[in-house]
Amino acid sequence: SQKGAYRLLDNAAVSHEGLSAPHWAATRQRAGQSGRVVLMVQDITHLDYTAHEGTQGPGPIGNHPGQGSPTVGEKVEPGYTILTIVTNIVA
């Protein structure tokens, strides 16, 4: 349930790394067993909501000292795993 998830995440003994480590290990293991080149691509994008004055909830993003009000929005970090089709790459 949602309440259960909030209780879990509010527990001081629970960390992002602790929750994620088994998934990271399983992903590495599956990628290593594929016998192919596996690209694990990650990107960071900032969604800027500063111009949308009616938007409620997003916090400050970026670091812009001395530029007036902070930029508000969200930081998005999508990750993708790509199995390549080419198995022999010639440099």
Side-chain angles (χ1 to χ4, degrees):
S1 75
Q2 186 176 10
K3 286 182 180 182
Y6 282 125
R7 280 195 308 274
L8 173 69
L9 297 174
D10 196 37
N11 186 327
V14 174
S15 69
H16 175 260
E17 186 168 333
L19 287 174
S20 301
H23 302 287
W24 296 336
T27 299
R28 281 193 218 77
Q29 181 181 15
R30 283 192 302 271
Q33 293 172 349
S34 74
R36 295 165 51 180
V37 175
V38 178
L39 304 175
M40 295 187 184
V41 181
Q42 189 254 345
D43 183 28
I44 297 175
T45 300
H46 291 94
L47 304 177
D48 184 352
Y49 300 141
T50 306
H52 302 276
E53 295 177 10
T55 304
Q56 295 180 2
I61 58 173
N63 186 7
H64 309 287
Q67 294 184 5
S69 299
T71 304
V72 293
E74 295 180 72
K75 181 177 171 184
V76 181
E77 298 185 49
Y80 307 94
T81 301
I82 304 166
L83 261 147
T84 62
I85 295 171
V86 179
T87 56
N88 295 316
I89 299 173
V90 179

